[in-house]
Amino acid sequence: EVQLVESGGGLVQAGGSLRLSCSASGLAFGDYALGWFRQLPGEARAGIATISSAGETFYAGSVVGRFTISRDNAKNVMYLEMSSLLPEDTAVYYCAAGEFVPATPMLPLWFNFWGRGTQVTVSS
């Protein structure tokens, strides 16, 4: 059974930092593109940071310079380092694994395996 589990969410003040982790079982992270996604109220779930199996990284404009995605294939763990957090970053954050599609590297459709999510709340 394939399982992805997020951890590290919580409450943080604006301007603060947080690190999310995603651990997997039943699949080898090294074989997949990986990504972090979030869904804001009234909007579709969207990618905020993804990383290809070759190590290429992609970021949504709203998080560039503030968030950093990384992976440790040997440990089957992916991370999202978040800094300078804003109240509008408040959301449930999901990790996912799937296929790298260069034309749309952050489209949720290409990610086949998903975690249940972890809540991040940023207070003003």
Side-chain angles (χ1 to χ4, degrees):
E1 180 181 357
V2 173
Q3 289 188 322
L4 276 67
V5 180
E6 303 92 342
S7 62
L11 176 64
V12 63
Q13 291 184 320
S17 300
L18 207 61
R19 186 176 87 163
L20 305 184
S21 299
C22 175
S23 298
S25 61
L27 81 166
F29 265 176
D31 296 333
Y32 296 89
L34 306 175
W36 289 97
F37 300 77
R38 70 186 183 190
Q39 187 169 15
L40 278 63
E43 299 183 9
R45 186 177 299 183
I48 55 172
T50 59
I51 181 168
S52 75
S53 58
E56 300 163 284
T57 57
F58 306 87
Y59 297 93
S62 60
V63 306
V64 66
R66 299 190 298 121
F67 291 12
T68 301
I69 187 172
S70 62
R71 62 195 295 167
D72 186 335
N73 293 336
K75 296 181 178 180
N76 253 21
V77 178
M78 175 179 60
Y79 304 98
L80 183 68
E81 299 279 355
M82 304 183 291
S83 62
S84 300
L85 284 162
L86 303 168
E88 47 263 51
D89 292 320
T90 295
V92 176
Y93 285 70
Y94 302 87
C95 71
E99 181 182 0
F100 176 59
V101 180
T104 53
M106 292 191 291
L107 191 67
L109 178 63
W110 313 127
F111 290 80
N112 304 309
F113 306 105
W114 293 83
R116 299 292 185 180
T118 185
Q119 177 71 47
V120 172
T121 302
V122 184
S123 62
S124 59

